[in-house]
Amino acid sequence: MAEDSIAVVDLDRCQPDRCNYECANFCPPNRTGKECIVTREERFEEGEEFDGTPEQISISEEICLGESCGICVEKCPFDAIEIINLPQELQDEPVHRYGENAFSLYGLPAPQEGRVTGILGPNGIGKTTAVHILADELTPNLGRFDDEPSWEAVLEEYRGTELQGYLEELRDGDVTVARKPQYVDQIPDQFDGTTRQLLESTDERGALEDLIERVGIGPVVDNDVDNLSGGELQRVALVATLARDADFYFLDEITPYLDIGQRMTAARLIQELAEEEDRSMLVVEHDLAILDLLADALHVAYGEPGAYGIITSPKSTKNGINEYLSGYLENENMRFRQQQIEFEEHAPRQVSAGDVVIEYPDLAKSYGEGEFSLEVEGGDIRESEVLGVVGPNGIGKSTFAKMLAGRLEPDEGEVDAELDIAYKPQYIEIDQPMRVDAFLSSITDDFGSSYWNTEIAKPLQIEPVMEQDLTDLSGGERQRVAIAACLSKDADLYLLDEPSAHLDVEQRVLATDAIRRYAENNDATAMVIDHDIYMIDLLSDRLLVFDGEPARHGQASPPVGMREGMNQFLSNLDVTFRRDERTGRPRINKPGSQLDKQQKRDGEYYYAP
């Protein structure tokens, strides 16, 4: 194989007991007597350890003809093989490779004292691998998985680079690391006790009480961790990380389940710790507006998810985001995506004149004296309409959704019990050992049809996970399957609660398009609750705005037009947005800036001219 090609075998998909080794039988080098594709038992010496089972295949990259052949890729019935040409511009050896025919990472981000460094890229591209290395949880093998190099060899490879000093301190054990996990909903599985007990075990800087107050989790510190909501768990995880006394802080996705106000508070806390305490901060984030506001510099990550990933040298945050969206890296002269991710800059849509599908009366729900209460003024949702729902966390949006879906009985008012509602909840709990294809086929008769594949499976990228068990899915994969399951049902209303959580930038755009197109093409009615402002803007015809006092009292007026709704919602948060002059993407104005003040005077918090 050419030096710029790699072979990747997905061991979760390689199922030799269900095929006749078509890949090996049709491989041109094999047919000439060479051992290009053989079983792992045949490749490895007796007693040698290897991933997978002895019957699974191994591909010799030295013998393979490369992507120009591709016969094994076509013949594999389970899509387990990828033969990939690496970018010609890539001159470096891998930082780490997990094994033969396994994922390779090229490049590492460079933490800098007193600065917040961001990483932007799709899921499955090696960002977490990079952090495992920088956190001293994984020693880089420079691609030599069968003959792992010493630390001295690793340091020699990075001599003279920005990473040399950091890696030397890492080798000597002089770097302390604090890390916020990506999937905070797994915290209750790992800790049994109260929130206070968890947080007090992390208070190494004496800053715990201040952090608790600023993120607003004081009311839940004496609650058991397993009783916390996703937004509360996210803030607890943030506080637990920032309370530690570390040299290097890694924060993996700080925004899922947080509203805009909470996201901005998190960004300010991270910036302050970097600037005032001279700490190194590395943040992986998919909310472009928050990443833009937060990071001092940015590494772009690209490649082929699950096969290889490349992390670029640092760029300015603005240029890094814009280059990622365009799919073209200017300094590297590298195009890594054919299509640009475009941010449609549009005026609010005309309000739908469709027939009323759902008309709900005034609704009220109280959880007891002194507990949370919600009041919703009556309104309607129309045919072919997507109704966006916005408001702070703890204000009653999910409570309203559960009342509409029949999962919660209101204290006052009555929802039409005959409505068929397809509901994707905010927190996706999957405990049934069922394959994705079996799960989805049990939901709809259209499973596998041309229409279903085109309108649901393809845009939501379901095909790659079709043969996996539901319990083995990552957070992003689970989210996409849940959206697909919701849209696959025959319903009067499609109700999706926070569909953007754990999706990367490209997946959010694809999910937005899928939901919007499904509503338009099927005269379907949808209601979407989310904190990603741009997703809400692209999806929605009207807005339902919730306000009040989080965790105490929430209220909502009838749905309004997008301009009125955005201005009402963002004025409550005291946040204004502008548009990037190059890409049109929404960017948060710096509080108190001239543009921020002008837009507030004009009353235009989002759709500024």
Side-chain angles (χ1 to χ4, degrees), residues 23-322:
C23 56
N25 293 334
F26 286 91
C27 172
N30 275 29
R31 295 171 75 113
T32 63
K34 297 178 181 178
E35 295 185 343
C36 180
I37 303 179
V38 297
T39 66
R40 296 189 161 232
E41 185 176 39
E42 294 171 307
R43 179 81 71 204
F44 290 87
E45 296 179 4
E46 186 175 351
E48 190 172 353
E49 293 184 5
F50 55 91
D51 294 332
T53 67
E55 296 82 13
Q56 289 178 311
I57 66 163
S58 165
I59 301 177
S60 170
E61 294 181 343
E62 289 75 23
I63 300 174
C64 179
L65 301 178
E67 193 174 16
S68 59
C69 171
I71 291 175
C72 59
V73 177
E74 295 296 326
K75 292 296 181 181
C76 178
F78 307 114
D79 296 326
I81 302 173
E82 289 187 272
I83 307 296
I84 300 168
N85 286 342
L86 296 173
Q88 294 181 355
E89 295 81 358
L90 186 64
Q91 304 295 327
D92 299 334
E93 293 298 318
V95 174
H96 191 80
R97 193 168 191 185
Y98 282 96
E100 184 183 53
N101 305 148
F103 181 85
S104 300
L105 175 67
Y106 298 82
L108 283 173
Q112 298 183 50
E113 291 184 2
R115 288 167 65 83
V116 180
T117 302
I119 307 180
L120 174 61
N123 291 327
I125 212 73
K127 302 186 296 293
T128 303
T129 296
V131 171
H132 281 313
I133 293 172
L134 296 177
D136 200 20
E137 298 168 357
L138 179 68
T139 303
N141 62 21
L142 306 181
R144 291 179 255 164
F145 53 86
D146 53 354
D147 182 23
E148 296 191 0
S150 64
W151 255 115
E152 284 64 33
V154 173
L155 291 174
E156 184 62 33
E157 185 73 20
Y158 287 92
R159 194 167 306 282
T161 70
E162 289 181 288
L163 277 166
Q164 179 184 346
Y166 182 88
L167 292 175
E168 287 175 344
E169 292 180 346
L170 199 65
R171 177 201 58 186
D172 297 336
D174 294 335
V175 176
T176 54
V177 178
R179 182 177 174 191
K180 189 201 83 64
Q182 181 179 16
Y183 301 121
V184 296
D185 51 356
Q186 297 176 1
I187 292 176
D189 298 331
Q190 301 162 359
F191 182 85
D192 185 21
T194 67
T195 303
R196 187 181 300 278
Q197 289 171 327
L198 171 62
L199 293 177
E200 286 179 347
S201 69
T202 69
D203 188 18
E204 298 171 353
R205 297 194 300 113
L208 186 60
E209 293 306 318
D210 179 59
L211 289 170
I212 288 173
E213 180 180 356
R214 292 185 63 181
V215 303
I217 57 172
V220 301
V221 292
D222 293 317
N223 293 2
D224 287 340
V225 169
D226 58 6
N227 290 330
L228 300 182
S229 69
E232 290 163 349
L233 283 170
Q234 187 69 265
R235 285 175 286 162
V236 166
L238 180 68
V239 168
T241 306
L242 299 184
R244 293 195 178 278
D245 186 10
D247 302 305
F248 170 52
Y249 294 79
F250 169 65
L251 302 112
D252 198 345
E253 292 194 39
I254 63 171
T255 63
Y257 310 124
L258 298 188
D259 61 44
I260 292 180
Q262 293 166 343
R263 293 178 184 199
M264 293 188 69
T265 296
R268 281 194 289 269
L269 287 173
I270 294 167
Q271 286 175 320
E272 288 174 10
L273 185 55
E275 295 170 0
E276 297 174 8
E277 302 283 342
D278 209 29
R279 311 297 174 103
S280 298
M281 319 294 288
L282 186 64
V283 179
V284 172
E285 184 51 58
H286 300 302
D287 184 323
L288 296 183
I290 293 298
L291 187 61
D292 189 17
L293 186 72
L294 172 64
D296 298 303
L298 186 73
H299 294 268
V300 174
Y302 66 99
E304 186 75 28
Y308 76 94
I310 301 171
I311 297 179
T312 69
S313 299
K315 302 172 180 289
S316 73
T317 303
K318 177 181 176 180
N319 288 343
I321 292 176
N322 287 348

Side-chain angles (χ1 to χ4, degrees), residues 236-507:
V236 166
L238 180 68
V239 168
T241 306
L242 299 184
R244 293 195 178 278
D245 186 10
D247 302 305
F248 170 52
Y249 294 79
F250 169 65
L251 302 112
D252 198 345
E253 292 194 39
I254 63 171
T255 63
Y257 310 124
L258 298 188
D259 61 44
I260 292 180
Q262 293 166 343
R263 293 178 184 199
M264 293 188 69
T265 296
R268 281 194 289 269
L269 287 173
I270 294 167
Q271 286 175 320
E272 288 174 10
L273 185 55
E275 295 170 0
E276 297 174 8
E277 302 283 342
D278 209 29
R279 311 297 174 103
S280 298
M281 319 294 288
L282 186 64
V283 179
V284 172
E285 184 51 58
H286 300 302
D287 184 323
L288 296 183
I290 293 298
L291 187 61
D292 189 17
L293 186 72
L294 172 64
D296 298 303
L298 186 73
H299 294 268
V300 174
Y302 66 99
E304 186 75 28
Y308 76 94
I310 301 171
I311 297 179
T312 69
S313 299
K315 302 172 180 289
S316 73
T317 303
K318 177 181 176 180
N319 288 343
I321 292 176
N322 287 348
E323 288 181 18
Y324 179 77
L325 295 175
S326 70
Y328 176 72
L329 303 171
E330 294 180 358
N331 290 344
E332 294 82 356
N333 189 26
M334 173 67 199
R335 177 160 295 284
F336 61 90
R337 191 190 325 108
Q338 293 304 312
Q339 293 81 28
Q340 296 187 29
I341 297 176
E342 296 181 345
F343 285 80
E344 180 185 353
E345 192 171 353
H346 63 84
R349 290 186 179 91
Q350 294 296 316
V351 174
S352 169
D355 295 336
V356 173
V357 173
I358 297 173
E359 188 169 7
Y360 56 89
D362 292 353
L363 298 171
K365 181 67 181 178
S366 174
Y367 289 91
E369 186 175 351
E371 301 293 327
F372 179 77
S373 63
L374 173 66
E375 295 177 355
V376 179
E377 292 185 43
D380 58 51
I381 311 175
R382 303 166 188 172
E383 187 179 70
S384 303
E385 173 180 62
V386 178
L387 179 67
V389 182
V390 295
N393 275 333
I395 209 72
K397 302 185 301 298
S398 294
T399 297
F400 174 63
K402 290 175 182 176
M403 288 193 291
L404 283 186
R407 300 196 176 192
L408 192 63
E409 193 72 27
D411 297 332
E412 297 178 20
E414 187 175 345
V415 178
D416 187 352
E418 296 183 2
L419 286 172
D420 287 326
I421 296 179
Y423 177 48
K424 187 207 80 68
Q426 182 180 19
Y427 309 118
I428 304 164
E429 296 182 3
I430 296 176
D431 54 12
Q432 48 185 323
M434 181 185 292
R435 282 189 7 166
V436 171
D437 52 2
F439 169 64
L440 292 174
S441 64
S442 70
I443 290 173
T444 177
D445 294 335
D446 288 335
F447 177 79
S449 68
S450 175
Y451 173 83
W452 189 87
N453 286 331
T454 302
E455 296 298 319
I456 296 177
K458 185 175 180 180
L460 291 171
Q461 300 175 324
I462 300 299
E463 184 60 35
V465 300
M466 201 71 84
E467 296 190 350
Q468 293 187 35
D469 286 336
L470 292 170
T471 51
D472 293 335
L473 300 179
S474 70
E477 291 167 344
R478 186 174 296 191
Q479 186 71 262
R480 301 198 314 270
V481 169
I483 296 171
C486 181
L487 296 181
S488 295
K489 296 175 182 176
D490 186 15
D492 298 312
L493 174 67
Y494 296 87
L495 204 167
L496 298 104
D497 197 343
E498 199 152 352
S500 73
H502 299 306
L503 299 186
D504 63 40
V505 175
E506 295 172 71
Q507 291 167 348

